Amino acid sequence: MTPRTFPPAPGWSVDGHRIKAPLTYSRGTDKSWVYGGLRIRDGIELTFCAPSRDSDGWIGLLQQIARANRRGPIVVITDNLSSHSSWKVRQWLLRHPRIRQVFIPVKACWLNLAEGWWRLLRRAAFAGQTFADATEIAHAVTLATAQLNAHAHPWIWGRPPPQPRALRRKFVYLL
């Protein structure tokens, strides 16, 4: 997520016509990467904002996952990003044998249950927003995560079974 460094153009004039203003877009050097984890058994999410997308950011998320889940083994299902399998991450995982990474197949992101959650987070945190800097992005992510966690429920892969239909008409034949 990159903060926008210019104010948005006004949408409508006082007489009801859309304002046609040239859009001056500039992308600054300030960036923020959002890491997230979804615990599917209860639907609780954990997010973490980092200034770069590298092994240190991934290890930061793994540390938060380990702190949030104090007991038992942890299986992290992830995609095949190079920072998820770097030397630094592999060394960290050797020191933390309770956490195990499982990689989804290439070009099969739909197998990861967290992809649906990312859609909800983007809509809750970023839709229609303009951010001035990375701290505003981190605040929006924290607020959206808290709101989504307030209504969390277990995640199940696939669609729920259809509800049985009620009969509209019932015909009774007398012989």
Side-chain angles (χ1 to χ4, degrees):
M1 188 72 198
T2 304
R4 195 185 313 189
T5 59
F6 61 91
W12 296 92
S13 66
V14 290
D15 61 351
H17 290 88
R18 192 169 61 120
I19 296 175
K20 296 181 175 93
L23 187 62
T24 56
Y25 182 79
S26 65
R27 188 176 281 197
T29 59
D30 197 15
K31 293 182 181 175
S32 183
W33 296 95
V34 181
Y35 292 89
L38 169 68
R39 190 169 52 202
I40 59 172
R41 73 169 177 244
D42 58 2
I44 298 294
E45 296 95 9
L46 187 98
T47 55
F48 171 71
C49 290
S52 62
R53 187 168 135 181
D54 58 2
S55 299
D56 294 330
W58 182 246
I59 290 172
L61 177 68
L62 292 175
Q63 288 171 342
Q64 287 195 6
I65 290 172
R67 270 186 256 132
N69 302 289
R70 295 279 182 193
R71 297 180 296 134
I74 300 172
V75 178
V76 178
I77 300 171
T78 184
D79 56 0
N80 294 301
L81 193 63
S82 62
S83 63
H84 297 170
S85 60
S86 68
W87 181 84
K88 192 182 230 182
V89 171
R90 289 194 309 263
Q91 295 301 313
W92 189 89
L93 288 170
L94 286 175
R95 291 190 308 274
H96 299 85
R98 182 169 82 95
I99 300 176
R100 185 170 63 106
Q101 283 193 131
V102 176
F103 294 96
I104 59 173
V106 177
K107 298 182 182 176
C109 65
W110 53 272
L111 290 174
N112 194 348
L113 285 173
E115 293 297 331
W117 172 76
W118 280 113
R119 180 180 57 86
L120 296 174
L121 180 76
R122 280 193 303 267
R123 185 172 48 187
F126 305 134
Q129 298 290 325
T130 301
F131 303 103
D133 58 2
T135 57
E136 286 187 10
I137 294 171
H139 178 70
V141 168
T142 304
L143 185 64
T145 303
Q147 290 173 349
L148 288 170
N149 284 341
H151 304 290
H153 54 43
W155 283 65
I156 300 170
W157 195 82
R159 292 185 177 159
Q163 296 291 328
R165 290 179 32 179
L167 296 175
R168 284 188 261 165
R169 296 184 189 99
K170 185 174 182 181
F171 294 106
V172 178
Y173 295 99
L174 297 174
L175 297 177

